[in-house]
Amino acid sequence: MGVIEEGAKKSGILWLSLDRPRLAWHVWHDGAIYVVTGGGEQDLPGLTEAGQVRVTLRSKDNGARLVSFDADVEVVDQERAPEAVAALAKERLNAADGAGLTARWAAGSRVVRLTPREPAP
C-alpha cells in the first residue's frame, strides 16, 4: 500500500465515486484516509451509508491519476478517535470557527474512515 499512503500524504484532496465523482479534502492518519462531511463541511451524499467506496488519488504535480482503489467506509465515533479528529482539524483550511471546529463537527458532522482494501490475489 505504499503508493496509496504516499499519494494520500502528498495531496490534500481526492475523488470519491458516490452519486457522481466528488472532490473531498482529507487527511491520512493511522493507516487510513479520514474525511468529514455534513454540518457545514463538504457534502458527500451517501458516503456514511456506503459499505465501501472507490477512491481516486491524483498526482499533486500534474493532476494525473496516481491510483484508484476500493476502501471500506466506517463512520467514526469522534469521542473515541480524538487523534484522527485533531489530524483532520489541523488540515482544515480557512475554517471560520477554528477554535470551535471540533465541537461543531461533534454536533453536526460525521467523520468517516476510509480503509484501503487489499487487492484480490
Side-chain angles (χ1 to χ4, degrees), residues 41 85 89-90 92 94-106:
E41 293 296 336
V85 173
K90 182 179 174 186
R92 175 61 167 95
N94 304 318
D97 59 344
L101 184 63
T102 57
R104 179 169 53 84
W105 288 353

Side-chain angles (χ1 to χ4, degrees), residues 1 10-11 17 53 78-79 85 90 94 100 119-120:
M1 277 200 230
K10 285 186 177 179
S11 178
S17 296
V53 67
Q78 295 179 51
E79 286 186 20
V85 173
K90 182 179 174 186
N94 304 318

Side-chain angles (χ1 to χ4, degrees), residues 45-84:
L47 180 62
T48 59
E49 297 81 26
Q52 72 177 21
V53 67
R54 187 80 175 162
V55 179
T56 300
L57 296 172
R58 296 193 172 274
S59 168
K60 190 173 186 176
D61 297 327
N62 62 18
R65 186 180 67 82
L66 183 62
V67 64
S68 291
F69 57 93
D70 291 324
D72 292 324
V73 175
E74 176 188 358
V75 176
V76 174
D77 180 337
Q78 295 179 51
E79 286 186 20
R80 294 183 182 208
E83 298 87 8

